[in-house]
Amino acid sequence: MSRINLVDPVSATGASAELLGEIRSAFGVAPNMFRAVANSPAALASMWGSFGALGKGRLGAKLGEQIAVAVADRNDCHYCLAAHTALGRKAGATAEEMTAAQHGKSADPKTAAALTFAQKLVEARGQVSDVDVRTLRDAGFDDEDVVEIIAHVALNLFTNYINVALAVPVDFPGVKLVREAA
């Protein structure tokens, strides 16, 4: 049970109603996470705007979703792990690629570098080294990409914290966290 009211898109008003309408158009429904965040129109606008902006970024949807599951697993966020695994599959990732991403792994060296960096960023709370950034560059990422990877991590920290702190009910097919599967 959620620790916060899940705003009903049908009875929502103002900016939250407008944004929930956009979200329903994109997903076919208003997922519970967005319904929880809709309690604050400003927070919902921030979250939805960030998803939209990063969705148009250079990294692509598949890598964005792989980063999301790597971050979700580190933060024990069942909701985001389930949602981003489903979205990653829609973006063209295989089930095996999404499972590997939970572990911060990929058969593609460039993707592996991004996932390793994302996990390090979370674990070290941003305190990465020159070597960590240079490793991304050596894998083929430029400054724009590095900043975009960090933006994906930051957005996913926001969504993880919302879902974990507020116990938002998962409304996507469940996926086991790496630590649970071990």
Side-chain angles (χ1 to χ4, degrees), residues 3-182:
R3 293 180 178 134
I4 195 166
N5 176 51
L6 299 179
V7 175
D8 182 351
V10 174
S11 61
T13 60
S16 288
E18 182 179 326
L19 291 166
L20 286 171
E22 290 177 23
I23 292 163
R24 285 174 66 185
S25 292
F27 287 96
V29 297
N32 286 340
M33 176 185 71
F34 293 108
R35 294 177 58 206
V37 177
N39 284 285
S40 167
L44 184 58
S46 173
M47 182 182 283
W48 186 239
S50 293
F51 276 120
L54 291 174
K56 296 174 188 158
R58 286 194 346 183
L59 295 182
K62 180 179 171 182
L63 180 53
E65 299 304 340
Q66 289 171 300
I67 291 169
V69 298
V71 173
D73 202 84
R74 284 292 177 262
N75 287 315
D76 295 334
C77 184
H78 292 271
Y79 191 99
C80 288
L81 183 57
H84 291 289
T85 296
L87 293 169
R89 296 299 310 273
K90 282 187 171 185
T94 66
E96 294 77 18
E97 287 174 316
M98 294 309 290
T99 299
Q102 279 183 258
H103 294 271
K105 309 255 184 252
S106 174
D108 173 58
K110 188 172 182 179
T111 299
L115 296 174
T116 297
F117 181 80
Q119 287 183 326
K120 173 92 184 250
L121 196 62
V122 172
E123 291 166 2
R125 296 181 307 180
Q127 301 296 319
V128 296
S129 69
D130 292 344
V131 171
D132 296 320
V133 176
R134 190 170 35 254
T135 299
L136 279 178
R137 286 196 180 97
D138 290 346
F141 292 106
D142 64 16
D143 289 347
E144 181 178 345
D145 300 322
V146 172
V147 171
E148 199 169 306
I149 290 167
I150 295 168
H152 274 277
V153 171
L155 173 57
N156 283 285
L157 289 173
F158 177 20
T159 63
N160 290 180
Y161 288 3
I162 288 289
N163 291 305
V164 173
L166 301 178
V168 175
V170 178
D171 50 357
F172 288 87
V175 176
K176 285 198 177 288
L177 295 166
V178 168
R179 285 178 285 274
E180 285 182 348

